[in-house]
Amino acid sequence: MGGHGTWHIAAHNPDRAIAVASAAGWIKKEHYGDSNRFFKHDISGSFVDPKLKGVLEATFTENNADIFAGNLKGIPVLARVGSQDRSVPPYEVRRMVRVLIAHGVNVTYNEVKGKAHWWWDSKRSNDGGVLNDAYMRKFFSKSLAADAAASRSVTKNADDDEFTLTVFNPASSGSKFGVRILQQMVPFQMSSVRFIFNSSLPRLVTRNVARLR
């Protein structure tokens, strides 16, 4: 799953991530090449009740990275892509970056000039390439050196006083700040927990949540 797998695992399990580095990560399967574009290619879609189509879409929404982007707030993120990538066009990664910024995520965008979907050499022969060159190692080192406990602490600064955990399927989603949604009121619809720290009494605000821990 590569870059998309990075988005998927980290956004579904934010408490397990110290940092996130996604290389050529597509946003959703329906955007990946000509893969499974049901709504674009299947002619039967012209005869289907939109409500029924919505039920179908709800079954794979949990695989869409962008709708979970807010779960990464509070975690340093690096989004990387080659400028000549024909498998995952750069605009796909740029779009994800825009969504992350809208959620207040600390994200760095790195588009490497002249590189395609994969490369072994960034600036010189065998320098680590797309996943392990000097640029990536610097990001990894900086992230690992940071105080992981402080970066996930519920004692946040004034700029990070509100966070949201978004879930579509509790069975495939983990926790944020130790809070996990266990059961939905309406299955396969958006559920969320908002963490609000900007007062003397921290609050949790829930949506479509029957049970949490």
Side-chain angles (χ1 to χ4, degrees):
M1 292 176 67
H4 177 79
T6 300
W7 293 138
H8 184 88
I9 293 171
H12 281 69
N13 301 275
D15 271 351
R16 294 178 178 270
I18 295 174
V20 178
S22 173
W26 44 271
I27 293 178
K28 51 192 77 180
K29 186 170 174 57
E30 279 56 43
H31 287 191
Y32 188 60
D34 290 325
S35 173
N36 194 29
R37 292 193 176 185
F38 172 80
F39 297 120
K40 181 176 180 179
H41 297 303
D42 195 326
I43 193 171
S44 64
S46 300
F47 303 92
V48 174
D49 187 320
K51 288 185 178 180
L52 181 59
K53 190 183 290 187
V55 172
L56 174 62
E57 187 171 4
T59 65
F60 55 77
T61 297
E62 68 172 307
N63 296 315
N64 297 345
D66 52 350
I67 203 156
F68 299 99
N71 293 350
L72 297 177
K73 186 176 181 182
I75 302 170
V77 174
L78 172 62
R80 190 177 219 201
V81 67
S83 67
Q84 301 302 310
D85 195 326
R86 296 295 181 262
S87 297
V88 180
Y91 72 78
E92 188 83 0
V93 181
R94 295 176 199 146
R95 175 173 168 177
M96 184 64 178
V97 168
R98 288 196 295 270
V99 175
L100 288 165
I101 291 172
H103 283 287
V105 176
N106 175 18
V107 58
T108 301
Y109 177 64
N110 177 226
E111 184 172 317
V112 184
K113 185 177 180 180
K115 300 300 182 181
H117 188 62
W118 180 270
W119 65 91
W120 293 106
D121 313 311
S122 292
K123 292 186 177 180
R124 60 183 185 277
S125 180
N126 296 320
D127 64 358
V130 58
L131 296 180
N132 196 35
D133 62 10
Y135 190 95
M136 296 293 279
R137 291 196 297 272
K138 181 178 180 180
F139 176 78
F140 296 146
S141 297
K142 182 179 179 181
S143 300
L144 290 172
D147 189 309
S151 69
R152 295 194 298 269
S153 171
V154 296
T155 305
K156 296 289 179 179
N157 60 44
D159 295 327
D160 292 329
D161 56 9
E162 186 173 319
F163 298 81
T164 301
L165 172 65
T166 298
V167 168
F168 272 85
N169 179 6
S172 64
S173 298
S175 63
K176 188 172 183 69
F177 300 132
V179 175
R180 182 176 183 181
I181 296 173
L182 299 178
Q183 184 178 2
Q184 298 171 298
M185 298 178 69
V186 181
F188 290 104
Q189 291 191 14
M190 182 184 287
S191 298
S192 64
V193 179
R194 287 176 58 207
F195 306 79
I196 303 172
F197 303 114
N198 57 356
S199 64
S200 58
L201 181 64
R203 293 183 294 151
L204 298 181
V205 180
T206 64
R207 169 187 176 184
N208 191 33
V209 175
R211 189 161 59 99
L212 55 77
R213 179 176 63 198

